Amino acid sequence: MNLRYFYISFLILFAFSQLQIVSAQNVQIIGKVLEETSKQPIAYATVVLFDSTTGNTIKGVITADDGSFKIDTEIKQFYLQISFMGFVSKTIKEINPERRKINLGTIILKENTQQLEEVLVQAEVSSSQFKLDKRVFNVGKDLSSTGASALEVLNNVPSVNVDIEGTISLRGSSGVQVLINGKPSILTDDGGALGSITADMIDRIEIITNPSAKYDAEGTSGIINIVIKKDERKGINGAFSLNAGIPDNNSIGISLNRRSEKFNLFTQMGLGRRVYPRDSENINEDLETGTSIVSEGRDLRAEKFYNITLGTDYYISTNSVLTLSGNFAYEIEDQPSDINFKSLDASSNVTSEWERTETTEATNPKWQYELVYKHDFEDHEDHDLLLSATGRSFSKDLTSLFQDTTISGTDRDNTQNTRTDYGSNNYTFKLDYTKPFSEIWILETGAQYQIDDIGNDFEVQDLVDGEFVTDLGLANNFQFDQKVLGAYVIGGYECENWGLKAGLRLEQTDLETTLVTTNVSNTQSYTNLFPSVHSSYKLSDAVSLQAGYSARINRPGMRELNPFFNIRNNFNIRQGNPNLMPEFTDSYELTSIFDIGKTSLNFGVYHRYTTDVIERISVFENNVNTSMPENVGTNSTLGIEFNTKYSPARWLTFNVDFNYNQFDRKGTFESAVFDFNGDQWSSKLMAKFDLPANIDLEAVGNHRSKVKTVQGISSANTFLDVGIRKKILKDKGVINLSVRDVFKSRFSESFISQGNSEAYSWSRRGRFVAIGFSYGFGKGEAMEYSGGKRR
C-alpha cells in the first residue's frame, strides 16, 4: 500500500514541478471548429499558423474529436488558417499576440457544396494517435483485416494480443475490459460473439492502459473500446461490402445514413457465415504409473450470423441532442468435433482406443438498446451534461450429443446428451457532468448503476437401456446476480504546456450466486475506492511526457464462477469456482512521445501490482486434468513498451510495436507454494507499401515469447499476415485480399506439471484467405475508410 502512495506523490510532485519551468515566452491559441448547418464539431480539420511577415508556415495541428485545437508559438506576428475537406477554408488575422493565451472561441466553417459534388478526397490519418489517457488505432489502415471479425482486427492493434481461443490480453495480461462505443455490450460477454462485428463496421479502437476515475474500474490491465462507425454528413450516404474466404468466411454488409436539419438516421446491417476449424492434441501422463491418455482431433465452429443496428439522433435544439439506438444480433451455431483417444501403458503400448464424436447446435439471439441525452451549455464549449440508459439481453439454447465408439481394447461405448439454457439481462444507467470554471480549471463528476442478472441451466444425460437419464452430479441451475453502484469526481488543471487530472471513484458491489438444485448460495458485498492521476508535459513541439496512475478491479464473471462445464473432452475439464474473489491492481506508467521528422517514437515504462491473482489450477486424478480458477497470491510486473512509425520514403512505412516485462509471483494454494519469477515479450512489425496503380501492400509479423506460468510453460510462436488493396471506380470502390497466418505457424502450446502428473496441450486454427469488395455511394466512401468523423 505504501508503494501506491509513493507513486501518487511522485506523479503529483512531477506535475507541479513543471510549473516552474513553463516558458513565459510562448503564446497559446485555442478554439473549437464547428460546421455551419448542424453546429456539430469537425474532427481532424487542419489548423495552420503562418508568419505574417514572411508568409511561411510556422506549425500545424489537427482538431480533436470534439473539434477543439490548441497550438503554441513564440512568433509575435502571425495569422491562422482552418481548412477541412468539403468546407470553405477560413483565415483569421485579427489576433492580439500580447496575450499569453488566446481563446478564439467557436469557429464556423461553411460547407463547400460544389467541391463535395465534384471531388472525392481520401483523407489520410495516422494509424495510431496518442492522447492524454489513451491511444487511438484507426482500423482503416489495417489491410490484413479484410473480411475479418473484431477479434482478428484487435490482434493487429499495438499492445493487444488475441490467442486462437479468442482470449484478449493487453500488455500480456488478460484482465481487460472490452467496450463498444464506450459502454459494456452483450457482444463482448462472449469472445466468439465479436465475430458478428466485422472490420468494415469499425471506425477505430481505443486502448486505455490507465483509465481515469471516469471509467468503470473493471479490468485490471485496462480498457479496449471498439468505436462503431456512424456517419453524420448531410443527405443520404452509404456503403456496402462483400467478403468471401477459405475456409468459409462469407459476409455482406451495408451502412446507410440520412442527415437532415433535425434528424440523423443511421443503420448498419450484416449477415454471413464463418467457419473456425481447429486441430488439437492433448496428453495427460501419470509419472508414477507411466500410463497416459492421448487425444487428437479436430473441431469446428460454424456460425451463421445476422446483425442490424438502427438509430437516430434528434437535435432538440442547437445545444441538445437525443439519441435512440438498438442492435439485434442472431447467431446459429453448429459445432461438430471428432476426437481420437488412446490409453497407453508404461511402455507406450495402446491398451484401448476409442473415438468421441460431438454434434452441437445452438441459437443465440442478442438485443441491445440505448437512450442517450446530451446537452452542451452555452457558457463554455466543454460544459456539458450526458445521461444514458442501456439494456442488454442475450440467450443461448444449446444441445449436444456425444457418442463414444470403441476401436480396440476396453469397451468405451457410451452416449451422452447435454442441454444448456442460458439467459443474461444487463442494465446500465449513467450520468456524466463536466463543468469548466475557467480556461485552466475543470471539474468532471458522475455516477453509474449496473445490474447483471444471469442464469445458466445445465444438464447432462446418459443413455441407459435406450433411455436418457439425468446425471444429477453434473446438472444444476446456476444464478448470478450482481449490482455495482459507482460515483466519481475528477479535477483538472491545464496551462500551456502542462496538464494534470486527479480523480477518485467509489464503487459498491453486491453479488449473490446460487446453485438452485443444491440450494447453495454465496453472497459478497464490498466497497472500494479507485484513485487516478494523469499528467502530461510538453517539453517542445517534438517531445512530450505523460504519466499516470490508476487502481483497478477484476470481478469474476459467470464463466469463472459457474462450477459446471463442457464435456467435449472428458479427460480435460474446465470448470468455475463460485467462491472466487475479485483481484485488485495498482497500475503506474510513464510515457515519452517523440515526433522527429519522418519518425514518431513512443517509449513507456509501466508497473502493475496485483493482489488475489486469479489463476487456473490443474488437479489430476486417474489421468483426468480438471482446471479451476483460484485466488493465488500476488503478482508484481515491471515492463517497457516501445512503438515507432517510420517512413523512409513516401511509398514505404514501418510500424514497430515491442513489449517486454518481468514478473514476480508470490502465493500458495492449499499446501502448494507458487513462488516464481519470469519474463515475457511480444513484438509486431508492419510494413506498408504504396505501389503504383493505386495498390497498397501490407505485411504484419507477430512474435510472442515463451512464458512461465503458475504450473508450467506456454510456448513461443511467430506468425505472419499479409494484405493487398486496390482502389477502383474513382476511388469509391476498393478490392482487398488478405491472408492470415500465411505459414500456419500460429498455435497454442502449453506444458503443465503438478505433483506426479504432467499435461501437454497443443492447438492450431490454420490459414485463412479472404477477398473483399466495398463501395461507397451518395457522399459515402468505401467501407475500408476509417478514422475520424467524415462529412
Side-chain angles (χ1 to χ4, degrees):
M1 187 61 66
N2 291 333
L3 183 64
R4 173 196 289 189
Y5 294 127
F6 169 78
Y7 273 93
I8 296 175
S9 300
F10 169 77
L11 290 173
I12 295 175
L13 288 173
F14 162 79
F16 278 106
S17 68
Q18 308 310 318
L19 286 171
Q20 307 302 318
I21 57 176
V22 173
S23 172
Q25 303 300 318
N26 281 1
V27 175
Q28 184 180 82
I29 306 103
I30 63 173
K32 188 171 186 179
V33 183
L34 306 180
E35 60 174 279
E36 181 183 40
T37 305
S38 68
K39 299 300 187 293
Q40 291 298 299
I42 301 180
Y44 300 100
T46 303
V47 182
V48 182
L49 207 61
F50 292 93
D51 189 315
S52 299
T53 306
T54 64
N56 294 332
T57 301
I58 300 173
K59 65 171 62 174
V61 297
I62 60 174
T63 56
D65 290 342
D66 63 354
S68 64
F69 67 87
K70 179 172 61 178
I71 190 168
D72 302 311
T73 181
E74 296 180 357
I75 304 297
K76 295 300 181 182
Q77 302 296 325
F78 57 82
Y79 65 91
L80 209 65
Q81 187 177 80
I82 302 98
S83 60
F84 188 70
M85 176 190 68
F87 289 82
V88 179
S89 299
K90 174 169 286 190
T91 301
I92 302 175
K93 295 186 175 182
E94 296 179 0
I95 302 176
N96 180 8
E98 300 304 320
R99 299 171 56 191
R100 288 179 55 190
K101 190 163 188 176
I102 302 169
N103 188 352
L104 298 177
T106 299
I107 301 167
I108 303 297
L109 294 189
K110 297 181 178 180
E111 189 173 0
N112 188 335
T113 307
Q114 182 178 0
Q115 181 187 11
L116 282 175
E117 290 175 350
E118 294 179 354
V119 182
L120 174 67
V121 180
Q122 291 284 344
E124 295 291 337
V125 296
S126 172
S127 62
S128 188
Q129 297 171 318
F130 275 80
K131 299 188 177 182
L132 177 61
D133 62 347
K134 62 187 173 185
R135 185 189 316 170
V136 180
F137 180 81
N138 296 295
V139 177
K141 294 299 181 185
D142 182 21
L143 306 185
S144 59
S145 65
T146 300
S149 69
L151 277 175
E152 294 158 325
V153 174
L154 282 172
N155 201 52
N156 283 335
V157 175
S159 306
V160 179
N161 286 318
V162 183
D163 67 19
I164 64 171
E165 303 305 324
T167 302
I168 302 170
S169 61
L170 182 58
R171 288 178 170 173
S173 173
S174 59
V176 58
Q177 184 184 26
V178 181
L179 306 177
I180 294 180
N181 291 337
K183 302 176 184 65
S185 171
I186 202 69
L187 298 178
T188 64
D189 292 343
D190 173 12
L194 285 173
S196 63
I197 300 178
T198 64
D200 296 330
M201 299 168 62
I202 302 173
D203 180 36
R204 63 187 185 275
I205 295 173
E206 299 174 343
I207 307 301
I208 310 171
T209 54
N210 240 336
S212 72
K214 182 174 183 176
Y215 294 94
D216 181 4
E218 182 70 38
T220 51
S221 65
I223 294 173
I224 297 174
N225 182 31
I226 302 172
V227 181
I228 305 300
K229 294 177 183 177
K230 184 178 75 170
D231 209 332
E232 293 184 346
R233 289 171 295 183
K234 291 181 63 178
I236 298 178
N237 314 288
F240 77 88
S241 66
L242 182 65
N243 299 288
I246 301 173
D248 283 357
N249 185 359
N250 310 312
S251 65
I252 184 170
I254 186 167
S255 173
L256 292 173
N257 159 255
R258 186 182 188 281
R259 176 69 186 275
S260 63
E261 297 298 326
K262 282 288 187 180
F263 287 93
N264 179 44
L265 304 175
F266 54 92
T267 183
Q268 286 189 330
M269 294 170 283
L271 59 90
R273 182 178 186 272
R274 286 198 180 92
V275 172
Y276 298 98
R278 184 182 65 164
D279 297 313
S280 62
E281 178 183 4
N282 292 276
I283 303 174
N284 296 345
E285 184 176 3
D286 187 324
L287 300 179
E288 189 172 353
T289 64
T291 61
S292 59
I293 297 291
V294 178
S295 61
E296 293 181 331
R298 182 177 179 85
D299 60 80
L300 202 67
R301 176 173 177 168
E303 61 181 23
K304 298 176 182 177
F305 64 90
Y306 308 87
N307 195 328
I308 180 169
T309 298
L310 293 171
T312 181
D313 299 316
Y314 172 58
Y315 298 90
I316 302 170
S317 66
T318 304
N319 299 323
S320 299
V321 59
L322 186 68
T323 300
L324 176 64
S325 63
N327 173 266
F328 174 69
Y330 189 76
E331 298 167 357
I332 302 174
E333 295 182 11
D334 182 16
Q335 299 181 36
S337 70
D338 190 344
I339 304 176
N340 178 267
F341 287 86
K342 293 179 182 179
S343 177
L344 308 180
D345 61 19
S347 301
S348 298
N349 297 315
V350 178
T351 58
S352 65
E353 182 178 1
W354 68 100
E355 186 177 40
R356 183 174 177 83
T357 60
E358 172 194 3
T359 303
T360 292
E361 296 178 347
T363 55
N364 310 322
K366 305 170 185 179
W367 294 89
Q368 181 158 326
Y369 32 91
E370 182 178 43
L371 180 65
V372 180
Y373 171 76
K374 184 179 181 182
H375 179 74
D376 293 317
F377 296 90
E378 293 185 355
D379 60 327
H380 195 283
E381 61 187 12
D382 293 325
H383 187 190
D384 55 56
L385 172 71
L386 189 143
L387 298 167
S388 68
T390 304
R392 297 174 285 148
S393 176
F394 169 47
S395 60
K396 177 187 282 285
D397 183 8
L398 183 147
T399 58
S400 299
L401 178 65
F402 296 92
Q403 290 183 303
D404 293 348
T405 304
T406 304
I407 297 175
S408 65
T410 306
D411 183 8
R412 297 276 187 169
D413 287 357
N414 187 34
T415 301
Q416 290 178 299
N417 187 35
T418 69
R419 174 190 59 82
T420 301
D421 185 7
Y422 177 88
S424 172
N425 293 285
N426 315 88
Y427 307 95
T428 303
F429 306 92
K430 287 187 67 177
L431 181 150
D432 296 296
Y433 176 70
T434 303
K435 169 64 176 176
F437 291 96
S438 68
E439 293 300 327
I440 58 175
W441 291 100
I442 191 169
L443 176 71
E444 299 177 68
T445 187
Q448 175 178 296
Y449 186 51
Q450 184 170 331
I451 303 170
D452 298 309
D453 183 11
I454 307 173
N456 188 77
D457 189 1
F458 179 72
E459 182 181 23
V460 177
Q461 297 177 325
D462 297 303
L463 187 63
V464 180
D465 296 330
E467 294 184 359
F468 281 106
V469 179
T470 299
D471 186 338
L472 297 179
L474 297 177
N476 211 321
N477 186 350
F478 185 72
Q479 298 294 320
F480 174 96
D481 183 12
Q482 179 174 273
K483 299 178 177 65
V484 180
L485 176 63
Y488 73 90
V489 61
I490 299 175
Y493 176 82
E494 185 173 3
C495 69
E496 299 190 17
N497 295 335
W498 172 75
L500 172 70
K501 276 191 175 182
L504 186 65
R505 186 179 185 91
L506 172 70
E507 290 192 349
Q508 167 66 37
T509 304
D510 294 299
L511 170 66
E512 181 178 7
T513 62
T514 305
L515 292 167
V516 177
T517 303
T518 57
N519 196 29
V520 176
S521 296
N522 180 33
T523 301
Q524 298 179 22
S525 181
Y526 46 90
T527 303
N528 305 104
L529 289 173
F530 301 96
S532 69
V533 182
H534 291 84
S535 181
S536 66
Y537 179 67
K538 185 177 180 181
L539 295 171
S540 67
D541 290 340
V543 183
S544 300
L545 295 177
Q546 294 180 348
Y549 161 79
S550 66
R552 311 291 296 163
I553 186 174
N554 179 30
R555 299 180 183 89
M558 180 72 171
R559 286 186 173 185
E560 290 81 15
L561 297 174
N562 188 356
F564 296 97
F565 50 86
N566 187 302
I567 59 173
R568 169 176 292 169
N569 185 329
N570 46 18
F571 283 85
N572 289 279
I573 298 170
R574 291 170 63 91
Q575 62 185 63
N577 177 5
N579 297 314
L580 207 60
M581 298 296 292
E583 59 181 23
F584 296 87
T585 293
D586 291 307
S587 177
Y588 317 83
E589 65 179 47
L590 178 65
T591 303
S592 54
I593 304 169
F594 303 88
D595 190 0
I596 309 169
K598 296 181 179 180
T599 304
S600 61
L601 185 151
N602 312 286
F603 179 80
V605 180
Y606 61 90
H607 172 65
R608 290 194 303 260
Y609 184 76
T610 304
T611 59
D612 291 323
V613 177
I614 298 174
E615 291 278 9
R616 281 200 165 270
I617 303 297
S618 289
V619 177
F620 294 83
E621 185 176 357
N622 298 323
N623 278 323
V624 176
N625 173 15
T626 302
S627 69
M628 178 185 294
E630 301 284 355
N631 294 109
V632 186
T634 64
N635 184 32
S636 179
T637 300
L638 179 64
I640 61 173
E641 189 170 44
F642 172 80
N643 312 98
T644 186
K645 177 182 178 182
Y646 177 59
S647 299
R650 295 187 62 181
W651 54 271
L652 177 62
T653 300
F654 292 105
N655 281 274
V656 179
D657 178 53
F658 177 81
N659 188 349
Y660 171 83
N661 66 68
Q662 294 181 330
F663 53 88
D664 184 20
R665 293 297 313 272
K666 302 288 184 185
T668 60
F669 173 68
E670 295 181 347
S671 60
V673 177
F674 293 107
D675 291 354
F676 69 98
N677 55 61
D679 60 3
Q680 61 180 322
W681 64 277
S682 64
S683 63
K684 295 178 186 177
L685 172 62
M686 184 189 81
K688 181 169 180 280
F689 304 86
D690 293 330
L691 305 178
N694 269 341
I695 297 176
D696 295 329
L697 174 66
E698 179 185 277
V700 183
N702 289 263
H703 176 79
R704 299 170 191 170
S705 73
K706 178 176 68 175
V707 59
K708 190 173 182 179
T709 62
V710 71
Q711 285 183 296
I713 292 175
S714 291
S715 298
N717 71 98
T718 304
F719 56 96
L720 176 70
D721 301 332
V722 299
I724 188 169
R725 172 177 64 189
K726 163 69 175 173
K727 298 178 182 178
I728 59 175
L729 303 176
K730 298 181 179 179
D731 289 350
K732 277 184 170 286
V734 177
I735 297 176
N736 298 273
L737 173 67
S738 71
V739 183
R740 293 190 291 280
D741 194 7
V742 175
F743 302 108
K744 295 197 292 187
S745 57
R746 184 184 179 191
F747 60 87
S748 174
E749 184 179 51
S750 65
F751 301 83
I752 294 175
S753 177
Q754 190 268 327
N756 292 320
S757 299
E758 288 184 349
Y760 169 78
S761 176
W762 175 91
S763 61
R764 181 181 64 187
R765 291 289 186 189
R767 183 188 300 118
F768 289 80
V769 180
I771 185 170
F773 170 73
S774 60
Y775 180 78
F777 52 88
K779 295 177 185 177
E781 298 161 358
M783 293 177 76
E784 59 87 14
Y785 179 93
S786 182
K789 293 181 181 178
R790 299 158 295 156
R791 294 168 173 82

